[in-house]
Amino acid sequence: MGRLVLSVSFASRWLPFALCLLSPAAAAQSAGQVTITGNVPIACSLDVQQEPGAVNIPDISAGFSNRRVATVTETCNSPDGYTVTVRGVNSLDHTGMFVDQVSSDSHPFTIAYDAVSAPPGGVVTNSASTAFGVVKPVDITYPANATLTGSLSDTYEETLVFTIAAK
């Protein structure tokens, strides 16, 4: 019985590969693709507009219910939602405190955000979704107090600080 022996040299094994490298037409494909990626950064903002009821209050000792002091517009594109908090600078919490710069008298008030009293901790919005241009009124209520020291100018004041944060 006869035997057939084939011998393959090193050059003959690598020749087809080498020819593909040297011939650009042989390496070209008929289709291709590119993946383009990007993102949209999370952006949250508040627009706080002071209302006329916030200034030149004629007599805080007389008390007032639901005095409109601001309007807040909430915007946040976080898919997980966002929170808005409020705190009074004088009271350091979710309530407000008129403090007289001259006599140091103080007069507390409560804050309602979108007609809901600010809870302990001051979280006035706890949203689980995005929001674009959601408008919410801010009102304050303070009791009558005839024992406050009189003033001739607007010496009683408080600053409310609103903060928005993405979840």
Side-chain angles (χ1 to χ4, degrees):
M1 175 166 326
R3 202 185 243 218
L4 176 63
V5 176
L6 293 174
S7 172
V8 178
S9 73
F10 177 79
S12 66
R13 272 190 296 189
W14 290 100
L15 184 60
F17 178 71
L19 289 175
C20 286
L21 289 176
L22 296 174
S23 173
Q29 297 180 11
S30 62
Q33 70 182 31
V34 63
T35 301
I36 301 169
T37 64
N39 68 19
V40 173
I42 291 176
C44 298
S45 65
L46 289 176
D47 180 23
V48 180
Q49 295 294 316
Q50 181 172 292
E51 296 291 342
V55 295
N56 300 318
I57 300 171
D59 183 5
I60 65 168
S61 69
F64 202 94
S65 291
N66 299 317
R67 175 179 291 277
R68 178 74 35 92
V69 294
T71 301
V72 177
T73 304
E74 303 171 352
T75 298
C76 189
N77 68 350
S78 171
D80 296 328
Y82 65 98
T83 59
V84 174
T85 58
V86 63
R87 72 175 178 82
V89 171
N90 292 337
S91 62
L92 300 176
D93 66 11
H94 63 283
T95 63
M97 178 80 66
F98 288 114
V99 175
D100 185 7
Q101 299 168 2
V102 177
S103 70
S104 298
D105 277 356
S106 62
H107 190 50
F109 59 84
T110 58
I111 302 165
Y113 191 84
D114 199 26
V116 177
S117 291
V123 176
V124 292
T125 297
N126 188 1
S127 176
S129 62
T130 61
F132 299 95
V134 176
V135 177
K136 298 188 176 175
V138 180
D139 300 320
I140 64 170
T141 296
Y142 47 94
N145 183 347
T147 65
L148 294 174
T149 303
S151 64
L152 299 176
S153 62
D154 294 326
T155 58
Y156 283 88
E157 66 180 42
E158 168 66 299
T159 300
L160 300 180
V161 178
F162 299 88
T163 306
I164 189 168
K167 289 185 182 178

